[in-house]
Amino acid sequence: MQKVIKSTDLNKDLSGILSQISFDKLFLLTDENTERLCFPFIKDNGQVAKAGKIIIKAGDDNKNIDTLSSIWKYLSENGATRHSLLINLGGGMLTDIGGFAAASFKRGIKCINIPTTLLGAVDAAVGGKTGINFNGLKNEIGAFAPAETVLIDSVFFKSLDHQNFLSGYAEMVKHGLIDSDKEWNATISFDTEEIDYEKLKQLVVDSVAVKERIVEVDPFERGIRKALNLGHTIGHAFESLSYEVGKPVQHGYAVAWGIVCELYLSHKFCGFPKEKMYRTVYFIKDNYPGFYFDCDHYERLYAYMKHDKKNESDTVNFTFLSDVGKVEINRTAGKEEIFDSIDFLRESVGM
């Protein structure tokens, strides 16, 4: 079981973790942004100061086979063995590729995730999904490979710009929807403009706990873990299209738009309450402005959905809700209904 630590003293907690894990060599993976903004918080840690440091380019478009190969190359050329340990310091892109690099190097070495973005903390760093983008498709190659420990400290979140904050917050909205009215109300009532970081820390802890409970029951996504896919079937399609048209959007923005579409489908097929759907839609409209696309792009979006890893046979697989906290996995919708949901998104959010 992956251990998640909500840190109160970053360096003390990190030293404690490193003292409990047996390893021969220590390596640290960062990207250009986290090297500048986040590494200073741990650079004086005695063990980290001696670690081999790997710095990759930032941005999801660098979550690819070439970057993965460069990580393997550094590890290989600097004496990493099956008993080495990799610390992944960064956002979701970095913990995804770092986790996969660790899982695949010499058939698997241990790693620790220190997420530095809200998105990384509540989503990518927890739960063991790792991977890279391939052939224009999100997370097409990867493995289930949980980090030994995930160390979460909100000190990093204060350096986030508002767009990156909101990108992570969309996953918290998703966790609220799949968990309970209490969690959902807390997330969509939070002031995202004047951020109370102490209050945010507790919201993050609660949000991570939602994912932890689900992953513990279903670590390999054979059943209820599919609840975590709410908003992602259509959301990943928006994300892929944004890169195709040269106007890349943040992952959480695409997921927020996917949530609108999939709540519409949840209302249509499972009776999700209209009032709760519109409360969520209004929150997303206020916080997640769209990007331009038109009806000519619908077929491309549908093609991306057809490539989704969750699909079986020739159908597009969804997670729907019959109410907040009441999940309906392995549901399907036809092309016409999916296109209707995209129409609803464009009309309600203004895209």
Side-chain angles (χ1 to χ4, degrees):
M1 178 62 187
Q2 187 176 64
K3 189 174 183 181
V4 179
I5 295 175
K6 290 82 176 179
S7 178
T8 53
D9 185 325
L10 182 59
N11 276 290
K12 182 179 178 181
D13 292 332
L14 179 56
S15 293
I17 292 165
L18 293 175
S19 70
Q20 294 169 21
I21 300 175
S22 175
F23 59 90
D24 56 4
K25 286 192 174 185
L26 183 64
F27 295 87
L28 175 77
L29 178 67
T30 67
D31 64 36
E32 294 164 334
N33 291 337
T34 52
E35 161 66 16
R36 178 171 52 86
L37 296 171
C38 303
F39 178 66
F41 287 103
I42 62 170
K43 69 180 178 66
D44 294 329
N45 182 289
Q47 299 234 49
V48 171
K50 296 181 287 186
K53 192 191 293 185
I54 311 165
I55 305 172
I56 61 175
K57 291 181 179 179
D60 201 69
D61 52 339
N62 291 302
K63 196 172 81 174
N64 56 39
I65 190 71
D66 292 333
T67 304
L68 178 65
S69 179
S70 73
I71 299 169
W72 287 332
K73 189 170 186 286
Y74 184 96
L75 292 171
S76 183
E77 291 179 350
N78 287 274
T81 74
R82 291 182 67 185
H83 306 290
S84 297
L85 176 67
L86 178 66
I87 299 175
N88 298 314
L89 177 71
M93 170 272 194
L94 191 129
T95 58
D96 275 358
I97 196 169
F100 188 48
S104 50
F105 183 76
K106 293 189 182 295
R107 296 197 179 97
I109 65 173
K110 295 175 181 177
C111 72
I112 294 169
N113 287 339
I114 306 178
T116 59
T117 65
L118 190 58
L119 179 60
V122 300
D123 184 42
V126 180
K129 282 187 176 181
T130 69
I132 59 170
N133 304 332
F134 182 72
N135 201 27
L137 299 170
K138 286 280 297 178
N139 302 320
E140 181 77 347
I141 309 295
F144 287 98
E148 294 288 306
T149 304
V150 180
L151 183 60
I152 296 174
D153 196 316
S154 61
V155 67
F156 298 116
F157 306 154
K158 295 179 182 179
S159 67
L160 292 177
D161 60 40
H162 200 57
Q163 197 173 47
N164 275 287
F165 166 79
L166 287 171
S167 183
Y169 202 81
E171 293 284 354
M172 295 173 65
V173 172
K174 178 199 75 177
H175 288 160
L177 282 163
I178 64 178
D179 185 64
S180 63
D181 280 315
K182 180 183 177 183
E183 187 77 10
W184 169 67
N185 272 308
T187 55
I188 65 170
S189 301
F190 184 72
D191 187 342
T192 59
E193 294 295 329
E194 298 293 330
I195 299 170
D196 180 335
Y197 284 95
E198 280 304 306
K199 188 175 181 181
L200 175 65
K201 184 189 293 187
Q202 188 57 50
L203 281 177
V204 170
V205 168
D206 294 342
S207 189
V208 169
V210 172
K211 185 168 185 177
E212 280 188 279
R213 288 194 294 270
I214 291 171
V215 171
E216 186 174 6
V217 173
D218 180 21
F220 299 109
E221 201 174 292
R222 297 191 175 107
I224 193 57
R225 182 169 177 161
K226 295 177 182 179
L228 297 169
N229 294 326
L230 178 70
H232 283 63
T233 298
I234 297 179
H236 276 160
F238 284 129
E239 194 171 1
S240 296
L241 178 66
S242 76
Y243 278 89
E244 180 184 311
V245 301
K247 297 178 180 178
V249 299
Q250 299 270 13
H251 171 76
Y253 279 65
V255 168
W257 306 330
I259 287 172
V260 172
C261 295
E262 293 176 30
L263 286 185
Y264 172 89
L265 294 171
S266 294
H267 173 69
K268 182 177 180 66
F269 289 110
C270 305
F272 185 83
K274 185 178 286 189
E275 179 201 348
K276 293 180 180 180
M277 176 180 74
Y278 276 110
R279 272 196 70 196
T280 309
V281 168
Y282 293 147
F283 178 85
I284 290 170
K285 179 181 180 181
D286 287 343
N287 288 280
Y288 298 90
F291 79 112
Y292 176 77
F293 68 97
D294 57 33
C295 295
D296 293 338
H297 292 113
Y298 281 31
E299 289 291 344
R300 289 298 298 138
L301 287 166
Y302 187 69
Y304 280 122
M305 291 176 222
K306 295 279 281 186
H307 277 286
D308 194 284
K309 297 179 294 300
K310 299 181 290 296
N311 294 337
E312 298 174 12
S313 186
D314 198 38
T315 60
V316 179
N317 201 300
F318 290 95
T319 291
F320 292 154
L321 300 174
S322 58
D323 202 342
V324 171
K326 295 181 179 178
V327 179
E328 304 272 344
I329 63 172
N330 298 326
R331 299 299 299 252
T332 61
K335 183 192 283 192
E336 184 178 341
E337 289 87 3
I338 293 170
F339 286 4
D340 285 346
S341 77
I342 299 171
D343 284 340
F344 174 75
L345 169 71
R346 294 176 68 194
E347 291 163 7
S348 60
V349 175
M351 297 173 71

